[in-house]
Amino acid sequence: MQAETFALSNIVPQDGTNNRNLHASIEKAVREFALKRGSLYVITGVIFSGEKTQWINGRVAIPNQIFKLVYDPAANRAAAYLESNSPGEAYSVVSLSELQQLTKFEYLPGVEVTGTLDLPRIKTKNEFKPHTNDEKSTIESALGAINKILKSKF
C-alpha cells in the first residue's frame, strides 16, 4: 500500500499548506472511518473550475479543488469531501449526485446508491497536530523524488 502512494499516477499539484493540514486530516478521518466501518471504496480526484487554469511550466494543470469520494458497500451509501486547493480549513461534504454534477463524470457506474453517507467531521486548523520529524523527513523524501521525476519527464 505504501508504495502505491508514491506512484506517478497518484500525483497532483497541491497547495502545501492544504496538503499538510486539511487534506491530511481528511485522509486520516477516512482511514479511521474505514477501520470502523470495514470495507470502503475511496476515489480521490480533482476539479478544474473557473475561467483560468494555472499551469506549472505550461505542462501541468493545477486543480482548483480536490475531492475524496467514499462509498460504503454495506450501507450502499456514498458522499464526498470537497476542498479548495488552497490554504484554509473550509471543506464541504457533498452527495455522489452533487459530485457527479460538478465533475460531469459517473464514479460508480452500475451501482444504485441509496443515500448519502454520513462522513466524519474533520478537525479544524486549531485542532491539527504538527508533523513529527519522521513524518516530515518522509514527506520531504517523497517530494524530492516527485520533483526528480517531474524534472526528468518535463
Side-chain angles (χ1 to χ4, degrees):
M1 178 69 147
Q2 187 71 19
E4 294 167 353
T5 301
F6 298 107
L8 188 56
S9 62
N10 192 33
I11 295 175
V12 59
Q14 189 174 6
D15 178 83
T17 301
N18 172 272
N19 187 37
R20 287 185 301 275
N21 295 300
L22 177 60
H23 191 76
S25 292
I26 290 172
E27 289 183 330
K28 180 180 180 186
V30 170
R31 277 192 302 276
E32 290 172 355
F33 191 52
L35 291 172
K36 183 190 271 187
R37 295 287 304 164
S39 181
L40 296 177
Y41 293 89
V42 180
I43 301 170
T44 303
V46 299
I47 298 174
F48 295 93
S49 60
E51 293 186 20
K52 185 163 177 149
T53 299
Q54 294 183 338
W55 295 80
I56 298 172
N57 296 331
R59 300 188 74 169
V60 179
I62 301 172
N64 304 83
Q65 294 177 299
I66 299 165
F67 68 85
K68 187 169 292 291
L69 172 64
V70 181
Y71 171 65
D72 183 343
N76 198 29
R77 295 177 180 266
Y81 292 104
L82 184 61
E83 62 188 289
S84 178
N85 190 11
S86 60
E89 58 189 54
Y91 72 93
S92 59
V93 174
V94 297
S95 70
L96 173 61
S97 176
E98 291 169 311
L99 179 65
Q100 291 178 156
Q101 287 173 4
L102 280 170
T103 62
K104 311 286 189 259
F105 190 84
E106 185 178 1
Y107 293 97
L108 302 171
V111 177
E112 292 295 324
V113 175
T114 59
T116 302
L117 186 61
D118 187 20
L119 293 175
R121 183 185 75 81
I122 302 302
K123 293 180 180 180
T124 64
K125 184 177 182 181
N126 295 330
E127 298 170 287
F128 291 135
K129 294 180 181 172
H131 287 291
T132 65
N133 285 337
D134 287 345
E135 289 172 324
K136 284 181 183 175
S137 64
T138 300
I139 292 167
E140 288 168 1
S141 296
L143 290 174
I146 291 167
N147 254 343
K148 284 181 185 177
I149 292 168
L150 288 174
K151 285 181 182 177
S152 70
K153 300 283 182 189
F154 301 106

